[in-house]
Amino acid sequence: RKEVEQDPGPFNVPEGATVAFNCTYSNSASQSFFWYRQDCRKEPKLLMSVYSSGNEDGRFTAQLNRASQYISLLIRDSKLSDSATYLCVVLQDSGGGADGLTFGKGTHLIIQP
Amino acid sequence: DAGVTQSPTHLIKTRGQHVTLRCSPISGHKSVSWYQQVLGQGPQFIFQYYEKEERGRGNFPDRFSARQFPNYSSELNVNALLLGDSALYLCASSLGRNSYEQYFGPGTRLTVT
């Protein structure tokens, strides 16, 4: 079983719609969780950290369910500029990121006009 | 403020050669991590360095090595290059040993022929 699993998509969504991605992780000792966004042939950019209580940043909402070991990302009122690959990222760590970030393969989102 | 910088941006090498990639972290950041991203996959963790010491290592062969300098910049070295080493090599910096949010540079695209 892969450590971090995501549906690769692509998700084709009309502009203005709401879209949700889920991601599951296998290591119950995982401590920190993130969503990164990656545009074609560019570096990943931190979109948001994911907290147990859930957190929101503008049109983006992230949730963590530790019991079921999944993380979600909700994008409301999607824009053309939201088209990108969204990477689910988990840190299972003994201290200070020494185990590195574990990335899923990413979910490809295409917002259509 | 300057972000993470990497050099060179692109590189073409032949099998058996070695390569050195360079990274300068965000000013004030003391931790540098290296990742390899093959097309269609998420980044894979190679190394983490903090205060010039290796703090973590991913599942990569001994042909891969790295170091961190007193100014916190870092080099990744790969010996005896294989075709399968062709990838985007990403450097990420974070504030300190217990800071989990990592910020990526634009990467070095290595092609091995």
Side-chain angles (χ1 to χ4, degrees):
Chain A
R1 182 181 173 187
K2 291 187 170 54
E3 293 186 68
V4 179
E5 291 202 62
Q6 297 181 250
D7 182 343
F11 283 46
N12 290 282
V13 174
E15 191 176 8
T18 295
V19 60
F21 310 134
N22 285 334
C23 153
T24 58
Y25 60 95
S26 60
N27 189 336
S28 59
S30 299
Q31 296 185 6
S32 302
F33 309 88
F34 309 92
W35 284 102
Y36 277 74
R37 169 199 169 123
Q38 188 170 27
D39 293 291
C40 188
R41 300 182 75 81
K42 298 285 190 181
E43 72 274 21
K45 291 187 189 297
L46 179 62
L47 182 65
M48 56 199 305
S49 301
V50 186
Y51 305 117
S52 296
S53 56
N55 48 303
E56 188 174 312
D57 183 2
R59 297 181 294 108
F60 298 83
T61 300
Q63 299 232 312
L64 167 64
N65 184 319
R66 283 189 185 270
S68 301
Q69 294 182 205
Y70 79 77
I71 307 148
S72 65
L73 177 68
L74 182 79
I75 306 174
R76 290 181 298 279
D77 187 24
S78 54
K79 313 289 185 193
L80 295 176
S81 57
D82 294 333
S83 297
T85 296
Y86 290 83
L87 298 161
C88 176
V89 185
V90 169
L91 180 68
Q92 52 232 22
D93 185 35
S94 52
D99 296 336
L101 299 174
T102 300
F103 285 78
K105 289 187 179 182
T107 296
H108 189 39
L109 174 65
I110 301 169
I111 305 298
Q112 296 174 328
Chain B
D1 286 345
V4 179
T5 60
Q6 292 186 242
S7 63
T9 54
H10 294 83
L11 203 50
I12 300 175
K13 293 284 192 178
T14 56
R15 281 176 294 178
Q17 287 188 313
H18 71 272
V19 67
T20 298
L21 310 180
R22 296 179 175 82
C23 169
S24 292
I26 293 169
S27 178
H29 283 197
K30 298 183 177 181
S31 179
V32 169
S33 298
W34 286 95
Y35 293 82
Q36 179 197 66
Q37 186 173 25
V38 175
L39 197 62
Q41 304 289 320
Q44 297 289 311
F45 173 65
I46 310 175
F47 287 112
Q48 194 230 19
Y49 275 78
Y50 176 73
E51 291 288 7
K52 297 169 287 180
E53 290 190 14
E54 181 184 306
R55 302 291 182 168
R57 185 183 184 115
N59 188 24
F60 279 80
D62 292 343
R63 299 185 296 108
F64 289 77
S65 64
R67 55 180 175 166
Q68 186 177 34
F69 299 100
N71 66 354
Y72 304 109
S73 67
S74 177
E75 284 182 355
L76 174 70
N77 296 285
V78 187
N79 292 324
L81 285 167
L82 303 174
L83 294 178
D85 295 331
S86 296
L88 180 67
Y89 287 86
L90 295 158
C91 171
S93 80
S94 57
L95 193 58
R97 186 151 196 260
N98 294 315
S99 300
Y100 300 117
E101 293 184 350
Q102 298 187 13
Y103 300 88
F104 285 83
T108 294
R109 191 163 298 279
L110 172 66
T111 302
V112 182
T113 62

